[in-house]
Amino acid sequence: MNITALIPAPDVIPHAHACVREDCRIGDRVLLQNGVVVGSDGFGFAREADGRWHKMRQAGITIIEDDVEIQAHAAIDRATIGETHIGRGTKIDNLVQVGHGCKIGEDTLLCGHTGLAGTTRVGNRCILAGGVGTAGHLTIGDGATLTAKSGVPSDVPPGAVYSGYPAIDNLAWRKSVAVFNRLPELQKELRELREEVARLRSDPR
C-alpha cells in the first residue's frame, strides 16, 4: 500500500467537495465521492462540573487503505488518540458516519445511513445494511451480516445474521415479529379465555 498524505496518488480520485484533513493517509485506487470528509474531528466531549461540554482534543488520524470507495457525504472521523482505520477493499455508502477510533476490516460493506459510534470494531467481509446503528466499544465478527435498521448494543459473533433492536439472531427476530404482528388477535383470544374461566369459576355446578 502506497500511503499518501494530503496530496493523493495519481490513481486516487477525490470528487468535488471531498476533503481529506491534515495528516490523514489515503492508499491507492481510492475513490472519494462528492462531499466525503476524511479526518474531521471525532465527537468527543466531556461534561464539566458546571454542566458545560469541554471539547477533547482529537489528536489522532484516519487511514484509508487501498481499493476503498466512499460514497457521497460520508464522514470518517479522526481518532481521539491513535487512528480510525478503513481496511482494504471496503465500500462505504452515502451518508455513513464512522466515529472516532473505529476499525473496519477488509471487503466490508457499510450501506447508507449506517452509523458507527466511536471505537466500534467491524471485521472482514461484513455487511451492515441501511440504517444500522452501533453502540461504541463493541466488536462485529468477521462475515457477520446486520439487516436494515438493526440497532447493535453489544458484540456480534463471526458469521452471524442479526436483526432488530436490540439486534438478535435473525431467525429469532423473525419469529418474534410474527408473534408481534398477531398481538391484537392474541389479546382478543386471551380476553375471551379469561372471561370463559371466570364464567366457569362462578358456575355453582
Side-chain angles (χ1 to χ4, degrees), residues 9-124:
D11 55 357
V12 173
I13 303 176
H15 287 288
H17 304 293
C19 173
V20 179
R21 289 274 303 274
E22 66 277 4
D23 300 322
C24 294
R25 294 184 283 174
I26 307 294
D28 294 329
R29 299 174 301 280
V30 170
L31 178 58
L32 305 177
Q33 296 285 358
N34 304 75
V36 167
V37 179
V38 174
S40 52
D41 281 1
F43 195 64
F45 297 89
R47 190 184 290 276
E48 297 182 333
D50 62 0
R52 297 182 181 182
W53 292 104
H54 171 75
K55 181 178 176 63
M56 299 171 63
R57 182 167 180 258
Q58 304 297 296
I61 62 172
T62 297
I63 294 176
I64 310 293
E65 290 193 2
D66 298 344
D67 302 307
V68 169
E69 180 166 346
I70 305 176
Q71 299 282 341
H73 298 289
I76 319 296
D77 290 348
R78 67 176 56 241
T80 305
I81 298 172
E83 64 187 44
T84 301
H85 199 112
I86 309 298
R88 181 205 56 77
T90 282
K91 314 301 180 187
I92 298 176
D93 198 2
N94 298 333
L95 299 169
V96 168
Q97 161 68 22
V98 178
H100 56 91
C102 289
K103 296 190 184 302
I104 314 300
E106 298 182 353
D107 296 312
T108 282
L109 290 180
L110 303 181
C111 300
H113 288 262
T114 288
L116 305 181
T119 67
T120 299
R121 303 290 187 265
V122 181
N124 301 320

